[in-house]
């Protein structure tokens, strides 16, 4: 189980993520904070696996909070959550010890994927302005569902055929394909089908 704390000074954003994540069996939101000092306190109390924190918060910003948390709890993975896509902000959060950086206008599916990625030891940085994904371990992070879809793409199945095999909507398959196509841009411009064929046996 991934235990999660969310720090954000706009309660509506916290409520939105709580509503979205409540049906995920592998993630439990154990607490939330509206300022940096409250975040540090709650992490000390609950020792979550993952923290999502805004960068600009009252009393203590996300960069200082991240440095403090990582110094005391190096195994806690931190994802920056911000309206800013400036390289400086990303660099400061990386230097502070963050494992991820996502935009506030990212899809909730991206938030979910980032949580799972960092909990498994990957980094997950998204520059929304350029639609770029960066991952660590010299490997792209794919969810289990995406791995299933990649394998079926490699087998030559269409989106509708994949949907039928996995008992999901075709639109869901199309959404996964779009997300995966964005990710593989980090290793050069290549067609998703070609990528799937090259990795055909990696996810068996």
């Amino acid at each position: 189980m991934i235990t999660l704390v969310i720090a954000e000074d706009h309660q509506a954003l916290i409520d939105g993520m709580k509503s979205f994540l409540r049906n995920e069996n592998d993630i439990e939101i154990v607490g939330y904070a509206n300022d940096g000092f409250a975040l540090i306190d709650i992490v000390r109390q609950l020792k979550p696996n993952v923290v999502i924190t805004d960068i600009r918060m009252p009393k203590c910003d996300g960069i200082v909070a991240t440095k403090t948390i990582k110094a005391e709890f190096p195994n806690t993975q931190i994802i920056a959550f911000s309206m800013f896509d400036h390289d400086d902000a990303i660099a400061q959060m990386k230097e502070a010890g963050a494992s991820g950086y996502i935009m506030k206008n990212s899809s909730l599916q991206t938030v979910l994927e980032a949580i799972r990625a960092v909990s498994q030891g990957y980094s997950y940085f998204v520059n929304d302005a350029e639609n770029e994904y960066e991952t660590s371990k010299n490997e792209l992070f794919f969810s289990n569902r995406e791995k299933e879809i990649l394998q079926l793409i490699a087998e030559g199945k269409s989106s509708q055929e994949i949907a039928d095999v996995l008992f999901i909507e075709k639109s869901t398959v199309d959404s996964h394909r779009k997300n995966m196509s964005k990710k593989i841009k980090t290793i050069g411009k290549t067609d998703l089908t070609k990528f799937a064929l090259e990795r055909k046996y990696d996810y068996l």
Side-chain angles (χ1 to χ4, degrees), residues 157-176:
K157 288 183 168 52
S158 67
S159 290
Q160 185 59 62
E161 289 170 332
I162 292 170
D164 293 341
V165 169
L166 298 178
F167 301 103
I168 58 178
E169 296 294 325
K170 178 180 177 294
S171 59
T172 301
V173 177
D174 291 337
S175 178
H176 281 301

Side-chain angles (χ1 to χ4, degrees), residues 45-63:
Q45 294 173 36
L46 302 177
K47 300 177 178 62
N49 305 125
V50 178
V51 169
I52 295 178
T53 180
D54 191 2
I55 293 180
R56 291 191 174 179
M57 291 187 294
K59 300 181 182 179
C60 169
D61 67 32
I63 296 169

Side-chain angles (χ1 to χ4, degrees), residues 6 8-20 32-34 81 108:
I6 302 170
E8 164 62 52
D9 58 346
H10 292 93
Q11 186 63 39
L13 282 175
I14 293 176
D15 292 341
M17 281 194 279
K18 286 169 65 176
S19 177
F20 176 72
Y32 60 88
N34 299 124
F81 188 56
L108 287 171

Side-chain angles (χ1 to χ4, degrees), residues 83-141:
M83 288 297 295
F84 306 98
D85 61 358
H86 301 307
D87 291 341
D88 286 348
I90 297 173
Q92 287 181 64
M93 285 304 293
K94 281 185 176 181
E95 185 177 350
S99 300
Y101 188 103
I102 55 178
M103 302 295 296
K104 287 187 179 182
N105 60 359
S106 295
S107 69
L108 287 171
Q109 190 62 41
T110 295
V111 175
L112 176 60
E113 188 171 89
I115 293 168
R116 288 177 173 151
V118 300
S119 74
Q120 295 179 34
Y122 292 84
S123 62
Y124 194 99
F125 291 84
V126 178
N127 181 339
D128 191 66
E130 299 175 4
N131 281 324
E132 291 183 352
Y133 291 72
E134 175 189 328
T135 57
S136 66
K137 291 188 176 178
N138 298 316
E139 182 58 71
L140 291 169
F141 175 80

